[in-house]
Amino acid sequence: MPLHRPTIEAQLMRAEQTLSAWGKSLETQGVGAAELRLNPKYRKLSGRCTQIRRRLSAVAEGEAVTAAVAERHAGGGEEAAE
């Protein structure tokens, strides 16, 4: 069952906050920005953000398709009459 856009956006916001907090934690430990990608937990959190972003883009594509279908159905009777 697909999730709704607000739910996915909330998940993304929480995931980005978690990633940011972990990044700041690593920076306080002396890990440089270039070395963040080498940290396993950072990579996992970053991958989770990417996963949610892709899910959000799939929802946007689905919404676009639904809107196009609704538009065709609304204008379908008029086009057939012409």
Side-chain angles (χ1 to χ4, degrees):
M1 181 173 144
L3 296 175
H4 298 286
R5 176 181 285 277
T7 304
I8 296 174
E9 288 173 345
Q11 288 176 350
L12 179 60
M13 186 171 42
R14 277 180 279 164
E16 287 175 341
Q17 288 173 351
T18 305
L19 178 64
S20 175
W22 183 250
K24 288 179 184 177
S25 172
L26 289 176
E27 287 176 4
T28 59
Q29 296 174 10
V31 176
E35 298 170 339
L36 285 177
R37 293 181 291 140
L38 301 176
N39 183 280
K41 185 171 181 178
Y42 187 87
R43 284 196 322 256
K44 181 177 180 179
L45 294 172
S46 178
R48 180 72 178 140
C49 289
T50 301
Q51 180 184 38
I52 296 171
R53 280 189 205 102
R54 287 183 179 163
R55 189 174 297 147
L56 190 58
S57 69
V59 167
E61 289 175 13
E63 290 172 345
V65 168
T66 303
V69 168
E71 184 179 322
R72 273 189 247 129
H73 282 293
E78 295 172 5
E79 291 176 5
E82 291 180 19

